[in-house]
């Protein structure tokens, strides 16, 4: 990139955020050089030019944060997407990732987890074992974290091509001496969702006196299950607000039409010319609501999604209120480190991190549609044969009954995922030739995840044969239960199997050297150079053929695949004048499979006055497709919502063969994917007009091409003219299935601003006060799937993947006096335009989702010897998530959205830390 063009970009676009780095001092009180996230050059912390936000351990504890996922909620620059455990607990929706297995991910700028680089002590760790795309934040040992440094500026030239959205660097304690124990508890007022933690940290030896240090940290975490039934706001049946269940898979079965069945190919009622396709005894008698969770199907509301010929005489089931809001999870994390001071200029260390997580995901019971072809219809003469002749004159009681049934008696579909993560790092760092800082490291990391089916799933052939016996009653009245014989038969069909597992591995060797090359009139010219050699691998296996198990999740097996990445990089900081310095960096990465890429970066820092700093940067990025995106096998699923054939429905309006139809779709890898590329930049300023007061306003923009996106069925149908080959048809012209999955979209553009204000007073008679607010304003996020299409604005509008909210912030007020410290916090997420009902919009419908605002309060006391006690209240006013009318099949949550809100409500936190002498 030519220098003139770079300079023009700096003047036009950019990004910034709060620079916060603590100045350190050595024993003589002299400033000590440190390495700050965003640069490979060690320098005095206050001289840093790049926007780095720091969150300390005390910040985390005072806000009652016990997991990395909770941490992401307080970072305003993090996206509002489906990267949390609640959203991942989903079997529906074209955007659902069935491989996350209780994982959660970072998503800076809403560009996707793959575009955020997560580091542990400045080095990479393996991606999640089964998903294979990004680092599972639950594998980070939060209790051992000293601080988190967040670089919101792209850093591909420093850390690697995938740092398009930014870098989150979790920095652990090192060289600790002593012993301390800590216990945390977080209990919700309304029950469910409690979390607990116990940790032990011990270390011995000081490098200065003993020449060595060994330390270890062990943490045990447990989170209890939280069900939708435990929260009143989680209801999918609120028709007056435009929300009701869109399913006829009910615990009291709806009868289906079909050739050779009792309803035939359809039925008519006296005086009604329509031919209906489904019927329920409860609907015909106005008693759908007599079964818990059921209601009359709201046919007008969903008439553009499901044909009224199917739904008018059907009952619906509020399965959205039957979801798990928080999975039960158990974590164990170990961190150990040994350091030896070889001489005054050299130290060597070994670091081992390991974790195990067990999570249990529960989904609603199996929904079964029987048919003559599947040989599972209810037989004539069965003890529970439901004769509708009294209501439907054409009902043929000499034929079997086809029906749609939610098999509650099988139990919730339950999966247990065990994730093991480990990394061994050997390193050496120090000073050579008296002035050059260096570091070297070799590491091996692995992430392995295995999923078992532990309840609620059945072998298809066994279950269909059991249903055909007529022993199982799909029409249980209130208070009735299956007979012991029927329950034994159902249980005999269950599949208790090792379903699938995946493993990612990362082997790395890296090193760099930095120092001052020579003196310029304005100061020393500093440089750094380094290398990064990595081998990444991924494999995915199935313990059983998932197609033999009804509605089993997962992907097809993928044999081990790997790639090598070789990178070299260089960086320099050039003082132009006493007030102006430039940072230039360039990195070349060579992928063994994809090819090479060179990414430059240019940044500046200009301080004309003591009270103000201007800064900016331009850089480029290159995101290689993940193994799973490239090579995962095809998976066939059923679209839970009805959809129109975009070609045939307009030619045959109202025809249920073409309009409001249920259809299959396939997803999987795309070996033709190209890397995603980006250009981005920043410009901003930081002001400090008085002691203790710092504010910043910074603008950023990121433009991407060939964005790697998951193409949904809705997107295929909306762009059918460009994707005709993705709509696969039967010989009679009806849709066989839709080919969805990963694609290279044309591109995206996003821009916005980070705002920060921090004020720390001097000690006053009343104590010391601190005020802080960090916020992100997203002005625009546009994307288009094809070059010939206009950009679509996503900010402030409902979407099935990420929500791009206009404004998010985290604000706090802290008072400190003597042994006491009190903090009050506010988290704010702006509202957005809701998903509109697909049928008749009810009177008074509010098309906007309200802003979500919660407050917290905590107090810390250090008056007891060696003891720190922090007690707090999260969601002080017990604010419910704002109502949203989105259909639960698109995004998890009935009447609320887990991408924005925390369903736990008011919670009480307590943290006790004791240090032994």
């Amino acid at each position: 990139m030519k220098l003139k063009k770079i300079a023009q970009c700096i003047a036009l676009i950019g990004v910034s955020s709060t620079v916060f780095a603590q100045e350190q001092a050595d024993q003589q009180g002299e400033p000590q050089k440190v390495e700050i996230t965003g640069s490979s050059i060690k320098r005095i912390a206050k001289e840093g030019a790049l926007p780095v936000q720091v969150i300390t351990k005390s910040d985390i504890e005072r806000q009652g944060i016990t997991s990395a996922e909770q941490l992401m909620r307080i970072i305003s620059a993090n996206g509002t997407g489906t990267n949390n455990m609640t959203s991942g607990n989903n079997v529906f929706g074209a955007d659902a990732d069935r491989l996350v297995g209780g994982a959660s991910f970072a998503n800076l700028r809403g560009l996707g987890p793959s575009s955020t680089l997560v580091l542990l002590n400045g080095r990479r760790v393996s991606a999640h074992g089964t998903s294979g795309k990004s680092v599972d934040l639950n594998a980070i040992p939060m209790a051992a974290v000293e601080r988190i440094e967040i670089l919101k500026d792209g850093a591909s030239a420093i850390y690697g091509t995938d740092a398009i959205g930014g870098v989150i660097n979790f920095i652990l304690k090192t060289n600790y001496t002593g012993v301390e124990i800590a216990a945390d508890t977080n209990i919700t007022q309304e029950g469910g969702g409690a979390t607990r933690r116990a940790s032990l940290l011990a270390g011995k030896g000081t490098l200065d006196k003993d020449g060595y240090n060994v330390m270890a940290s062990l943490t045990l975490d447990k989170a209890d299950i939280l069900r939708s039934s435990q929260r009143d706001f989680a209801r999918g049946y609120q028709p007056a607000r435009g929300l009701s269940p869109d399913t006829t898979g009910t615990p009291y079965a709806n009868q289906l039409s079909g050739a050779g069945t009792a309803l035939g190919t359809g039925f008519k009622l006296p005086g009604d010319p329509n031919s209906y396709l489904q019927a329920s005894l409860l609907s015909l008698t106005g008693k759908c609501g007599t079964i818990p969770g059921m209601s009359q199907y709201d046919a007008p509301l969903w008439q553009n999604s499901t044909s009224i010929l199917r739904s008018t005489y059907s009952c619906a089931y509020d399965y959205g209120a039957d979801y798990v809001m928080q999975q039960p999870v158990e974590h164990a994390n170990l961190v150990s480190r040994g350091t030896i001071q070889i001489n005054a200029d050299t130290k060597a260390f070994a670091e081992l991190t390991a974790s195990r997580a067990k999570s249990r995901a529960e989904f609603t019971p199996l929904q079964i549609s029987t048919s003559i072809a599947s040989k599972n219809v209810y037989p004539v003469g069965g003890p529970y044969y439901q004769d509708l002749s009294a209501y439907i004159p054409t009902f043929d009681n000499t034929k079997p009954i086809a029906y749609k049934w939610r098999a509650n008696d099988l139990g919730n579909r339950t999966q247990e995922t065990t994730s093991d993560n480990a990394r061994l790092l050997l390193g050496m760092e120090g000073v050579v030739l008296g002035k050059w800082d260096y570091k070297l490291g070799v590491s091996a990391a692995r992430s392995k995840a295995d999923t078992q089916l532990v309840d609620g799933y059945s072998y298809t052939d066994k279950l269909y044969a059991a249903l055909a016996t007529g022993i199982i009653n799909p029409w249980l009245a209130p208070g009735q239960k299956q007979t012991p014989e029927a329950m034994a038969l159902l249980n005999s069909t269950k599949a208790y199997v090792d379903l699938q597992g995946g493993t990612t591995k990362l082997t790395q060797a890296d090193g760099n050297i930095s120092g001052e090359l020579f003196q310029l009139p304005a100061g020393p010219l500093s440089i750094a150079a380094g290398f990064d050699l990595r081998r990444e691998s991924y494999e995915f296996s199935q313990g059983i053929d998932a197609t033999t198990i009804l509605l089993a999740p997962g992907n097809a097996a993928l044999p081990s695949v790997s790639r090598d990445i070789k990178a070299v990089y260089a960086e320099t900081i050039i003082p132009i004048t006493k007030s102006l310095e430039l940072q230039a960096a360039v990195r070349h990465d060579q992928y063994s499979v994809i090819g090479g890429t060179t990414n430059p970066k240019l940044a500046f820092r200009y301080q004309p006055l003591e009270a103000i700093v201007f800064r900016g940067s331009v850089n480029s990025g290159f995101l290689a497709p993940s193994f799973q995106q490239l090579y995962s096998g095809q998976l066939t699923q059923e679209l839970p919502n009805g959809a129109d054939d975009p070609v045939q429905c307009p030619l045959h309006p109202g025809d249920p063969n073409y309009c409001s139809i249920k259809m299959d779709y396939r997803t999987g890898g795309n070996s033709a994917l190209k890397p995603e590329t980006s250009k981005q930049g920043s410009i901003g300023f930081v002001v400090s007009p008085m002691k203790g007061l710092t504010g910043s306003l910074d603008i950023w923009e990121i433009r991407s091409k060939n964005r790697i996106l998951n193409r949904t069925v809705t997107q295929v149908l909306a762009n059918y003219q460009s994707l005709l080959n993705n709509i696969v048809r039967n010989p009679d012209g009806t849709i066989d299935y839709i080919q969805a999955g990963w694609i290279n979209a044309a591109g995206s553009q996003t821009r916005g601003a980070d705002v920060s204000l921090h004020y720390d007073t001097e000690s006053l008679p009343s104590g010391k006060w601190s005020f802080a607010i960090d916020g992100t304003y997203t002005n625009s996020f546009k994307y288009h799937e094809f070059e010939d299409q206009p950009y679509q604005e996503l900010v402030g509008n409902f979407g099935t993947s990420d929500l791009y909210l206009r404004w998010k912030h985290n604000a706090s007020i802290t008072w400190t006096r003597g042994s006491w410290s009190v903090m009050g916090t506010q988290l704010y997420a702006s509202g957005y335009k809701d998903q509109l009902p697909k049928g008749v919009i009810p009177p008074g419908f509010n098309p906007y989702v309200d802003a979500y605002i919660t407050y917290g309060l905590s107090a810390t006391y250090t008056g007891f010897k060696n003891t720190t006690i922090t007690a707090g209240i999260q969601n002080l006013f017990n604010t419910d998530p704002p109502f949203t009318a989105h259909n639960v099949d698109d995004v998890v949550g009935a009447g609320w959205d887990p991408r924005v809100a925390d369903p736990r409500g008011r919670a009480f936190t307590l943290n006790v830390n004791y240090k032994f002498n």
Side-chain angles (χ1 to χ4, degrees):
M1 183 181 293
K2 294 181 179 179
L3 184 60
K4 181 179 179 181
K5 186 174 182 180
I6 292 176
Q8 291 173 340
C9 291
I10 289 177
L12 294 174
I13 59 178
V15 64
S16 179
S17 68
T18 304
V19 174
F20 179 79
Q22 296 179 329
E23 184 175 337
Q24 302 182 15
D26 61 19
Q27 293 179 342
Q28 287 74 38
E30 294 296 326
Q32 183 178 9
K33 291 184 177 181
V34 296
E35 184 176 324
I36 300 173
T37 302
S39 175
S40 297
I41 298 175
K42 281 191 173 184
R43 60 212 310 255
I44 298 171
K46 67 179 182 180
E47 295 181 357
L50 290 177
V52 179
Q53 178 184 0
V54 175
I55 300 174
T56 66
K57 180 178 177 62
S58 62
D59 295 331
I60 295 170
E61 291 177 343
R62 286 187 293 187
Q63 296 193 55
I65 294 170
T66 57
S67 69
E69 182 169 299
Q70 291 177 338
L71 174 69
M72 292 300 104
R73 288 190 180 275
I74 72 169
I75 299 173
S76 62
N78 196 60
T80 310
T82 59
N83 316 113
N84 56 78
M85 293 179 67
T86 303
S87 296
N89 195 49
N90 191 13
V91 294
F92 295 114
D95 284 329
D97 185 350
R98 290 166 170 79
L99 299 178
V100 294
S104 59
F105 306 99
N107 181 15
L108 292 178
R109 304 298 185 205
L111 293 173
S114 298
S115 296
T116 298
L117 179 58
V118 176
L119 304 175
L120 189 63
N121 284 346
R123 287 183 166 94
R124 293 172 178 260
V125 292
S126 282
H128 183 252
T130 51
S131 185
K133 290 182 292 184
S134 309
V135 173
D136 177 14
L137 297 179
N138 293 322
I140 301 295
M142 287 296 295
V145 169
E146 182 68 27
R147 67 185 186 277
I148 300 104
E149 294 182 351
I150 304 161
L151 177 66
K152 303 174 188 178
D153 182 40
S156 296
I158 304 295
Y159 293 109
T161 63
D162 47 355
I164 292 175
V167 178
I168 300 180
N169 189 6
F170 291 87
I171 300 174
L172 307 182
K173 287 179 168 64
T174 58
N175 301 329
Y176 177 83
T177 301
V179 178
E180 67 179 73
I181 58 173
D184 293 84
T185 185
N186 188 310
I187 307 296
T188 64
Q189 176 177 299
E190 298 179 34
T195 64
R196 291 167 293 280
R197 168 187 290 168
S199 63
L200 170 67
L201 174 64
K204 183 178 181 180
T206 60
L207 294 180
D208 292 339
K209 295 181 180 179
D210 305 311
Y212 76 93
N213 176 264
V214 291
M215 59 161 287
S217 170
L218 176 64
T219 308
L220 302 176
D221 294 88
K222 184 177 181 180
D224 294 341
I225 194 169
L226 175 63
R227 300 181 184 277
S228 293
S229 59
Q230 296 175 280
R231 295 295 183 266
D232 292 337
F233 59 80
R235 292 182 293 113
Y237 184 66
Q238 303 182 57
R241 305 172 81 175
L243 178 63
S244 70
D246 181 25
T247 180
T248 56
T250 52
Y252 188 98
N254 287 284
Q255 293 195 25
L256 306 177
S257 60
T261 68
L263 287 181
T265 57
F267 66 91
K268 294 184 178 181
L269 297 179
D272 189 340
N274 293 315
S275 181
Y276 296 98
L277 304 174
Q278 293 183 190
S280 169
L281 175 62
L282 296 182
S283 178
L284 292 167
T285 57
K287 297 180 179 179
C288 287
T290 61
I291 303 294
M294 285 178 49
S295 60
Q296 171 61 43
Y297 193 100
D298 196 330
L301 182 64
W302 295 106
Q303 61 180 307
N304 294 337
S305 173
T306 300
S307 171
I308 60 173
L309 302 180
R310 298 183 184 275
S311 59
T312 299
Y313 294 103
S314 299
C315 296
Y317 180 62
D318 188 6
Y319 59 108
D322 205 9
Y323 270 96
V324 169
M325 292 173 157
Q326 176 177 293
Q327 295 182 33
V329 182
E330 294 182 1
H331 287 111
N333 283 283
L334 171 69
V335 178
S336 59
R337 182 182 175 102
T339 307
I340 299 176
Q341 190 76 45
I342 297 174
N343 56 46
D345 294 329
T346 306
K347 62 181 177 181
F349 64 90
E351 179 181 279
L352 173 66
T353 58
S355 68
R356 165 164 283 194
K358 283 190 175 182
S359 62
R360 179 167 288 215
E362 289 190 22
F363 312 115
T364 52
L366 284 173
Q367 181 177 258
I368 305 166
S369 294
T370 68
S371 67
I372 296 290
S374 297
K375 300 179 181 180
N376 55 0
V377 291
Y378 196 87
V380 176
Y384 312 111
Y385 188 90
Q386 190 180 72
D387 190 343
L388 299 182
S389 300
Y391 306 95
I392 300 174
T394 59
F395 188 89
D396 188 348
N397 57 18
T398 67
K399 291 185 172 60
I401 299 172
Y403 59 91
K404 194 171 188 178
W405 179 51
R406 188 169 297 276
N408 285 9
D409 296 305
L410 280 171
N412 287 341
R413 286 169 284 176
T414 307
Q415 305 171 20
E416 186 172 271
T417 299
T418 301
S419 300
D420 292 310
N421 298 270
R423 187 186 74 171
L424 176 63
L425 168 66
L426 303 177
M428 182 178 291
E429 57 187 46
V431 179
V432 294
L433 302 178
K435 65 176 183 178
W436 294 93
D437 298 299
Y438 78 91
K439 64 178 183 179
L440 296 168
V442 292
S443 63
R446 188 187 77 157
S447 177
K448 187 177 187 296
D450 295 292
T451 299
Q452 296 178 310
L453 302 185
V454 297
D455 199 15
Y457 288 94
S458 290
Y459 291 101
T460 305
D461 56 353
K462 290 183 178 181
L463 180 59
Y464 284 3
L467 297 176
T469 65
I471 296 174
I472 298 164
N473 183 3
W475 298 290
L476 291 175
Q480 288 184 331
K481 295 181 179 180
Q482 298 288 351
T483 65
E485 182 184 10
M487 286 305 302
L489 185 58
L490 281 171
N491 289 333
S492 71
T493 71
K494 288 188 176 181
Y496 302 102
V497 298
D498 294 331
L499 177 68
Q500 60 193 16
T503 303
T504 60
K505 294 180 181 179
L506 172 66
T507 304
Q508 182 176 14
D510 65 88
N512 68 42
I513 188 168
S514 68
E516 297 175 0
L517 187 61
F518 52 79
Q519 287 288 326
L520 293 174
L525 185 146
S526 301
I527 64 169
F531 68 91
D532 181 7
L533 308 176
R534 305 194 308 275
R535 167 163 287 185
E536 301 172 345
S537 66
Y538 174 67
E539 64 177 312
F540 184 83
S541 61
Q542 285 189 318
I544 191 172
D545 181 0
T547 62
T548 65
I549 301 172
L550 187 61
L551 298 181
N555 282 16
L558 175 63
S560 180
V561 289
S562 64
R563 62 190 179 200
D564 295 329
I565 302 99
K566 302 174 183 178
V568 292
Y569 59 91
E571 177 189 359
T572 183
I573 296 177
I574 308 170
I576 306 300
T577 67
K578 293 291 185 182
S579 303
L580 174 65
E581 68 177 27
L582 296 180
Q583 177 192 19
V586 64
R587 179 182 177 112
H588 178 80
D589 292 77
Q590 187 70 37
Y591 286 76
S592 61
V593 177
I594 298 169
T597 175
T598 300
N599 294 281
K601 178 171 185 172
L602 182 62
F604 77 93
R605 180 185 187 274
Y606 177 54
Q607 188 173 8
L609 301 172
E610 183 69 23
I612 188 167
V613 174
F614 296 95
R615 62 191 174 193
S617 70
V618 289
N619 53 89
S620 64
F622 175 99
L623 179 62
S626 72
F627 294 118
Q628 192 257 344
Q629 291 168 337
L630 286 168
Y631 306 124
S632 63
Q634 294 293 306
L635 176 67
T636 300
Q637 305 155 71
E638 182 186 64
L639 187 68
N641 297 326
D644 293 340
D645 184 328
V647 177
Q648 296 295 333
C649 184
L651 301 178
H652 307 85
D655 188 334
N657 291 313
Y658 303 108
C659 304
S660 299
I661 56 175
K662 303 284 185 179
M663 63 182 72
D664 288 339
Y665 68 98
R666 298 181 183 178
T667 58
N670 180 359
S671 60
L673 285 176
K674 296 181 291 185
E676 178 181 330
T677 59
S678 69
K679 293 182 179 180
Q680 55 218 81
S682 72
I683 196 164
F685 63 89
V686 181
V687 295
S688 184
M690 57 184 288
K691 185 177 181 180
L693 176 63
T694 302
S696 64
L697 174 64
D698 306 289
I699 303 169
W700 46 266
E701 181 169 315
I702 305 171
R703 299 186 179 189
S704 299
K705 289 186 177 181
N706 294 321
R707 278 207 71 197
I708 302 171
L709 296 177
N710 197 17
R711 179 180 52 215
T712 67
V713 176
T714 302
Q715 291 169 328
V716 173
L717 295 175
N719 299 284
Y720 73 94
Q721 292 175 323
S722 301
L723 295 170
L724 288 176
N725 292 335
N726 291 70
I727 302 177
V728 181
R729 297 184 178 276
N730 296 308
D732 62 359
T734 59
I735 292 178
D736 183 15
Y737 66 90
I738 303 293
Q739 179 62 57
W742 297 102
I743 64 164
N744 284 115
S748 67
Q749 301 178 3
T750 181
R751 62 179 179 271
D754 291 318
V755 179
S756 177
L757 183 65
H758 291 252
Y759 179 53
D760 297 319
T761 70
E762 297 182 354
S763 295
L764 304 172
S766 61
K768 184 176 181 180
W769 294 84
S770 297
F771 305 87
I773 182 170
D774 289 283
T776 296
Y777 176 84
T778 303
N779 180 61
S780 176
F781 194 111
K782 297 180 179 179
Y783 112 98
H784 61 163
E785 188 164 339
F786 304 100
E787 291 290 352
D788 58 351
Q789 290 181 337
Y791 279 94
Q792 298 177 354
E793 180 60 70
L794 303 182
V795 171
N797 295 306
F798 175 85
T800 60
S801 183
D802 279 64
L803 287 173
Y804 297 93
L805 304 183
R806 185 72 66 185
W807 174 256
K808 294 171 65 179
H809 76 239
N810 177 22
S812 66
I813 301 175
T814 305
W815 169 79
T816 303
R817 183 180 181 184
S819 301
W820 285 96
S821 176
V822 178
M823 171 185 275
T825 59
Q826 182 197 61
L827 291 176
Y828 180 93
S830 62
Y832 55 94
K833 188 178 292 186
D834 203 359
Q835 182 183 37
L836 293 176
K838 297 181 180 179
V840 176
I841 298 176
F845 175 76
N846 182 4
Y848 292 94
V849 178
D850 293 335
Y852 182 58
I853 311 171
T854 59
Y855 296 86
L857 183 66
S858 69
T860 300
Y861 182 68
T862 58
F864 300 119
K865 184 178 180 180
N866 301 331
T867 304
T868 301
I869 302 174
T870 300
I873 305 175
Q874 294 175 317
N875 197 345
L876 183 64
F877 300 110
N878 203 23
T879 302
D880 285 341
F883 173 80
T884 168
H886 77 255
N887 181 15
V888 68
D889 288 334
D890 293 327
V891 178
V892 171
W896 72 287
D897 197 322
R899 297 174 295 177
V900 175
D902 184 345
R904 300 170 72 250
R906 183 184 289 128
F908 304 96
T909 67
L910 178 65
N911 170 269
V912 179
N913 183 287
Y914 181 78
K915 297 182 179 180
F916 293 89
N917 288 327

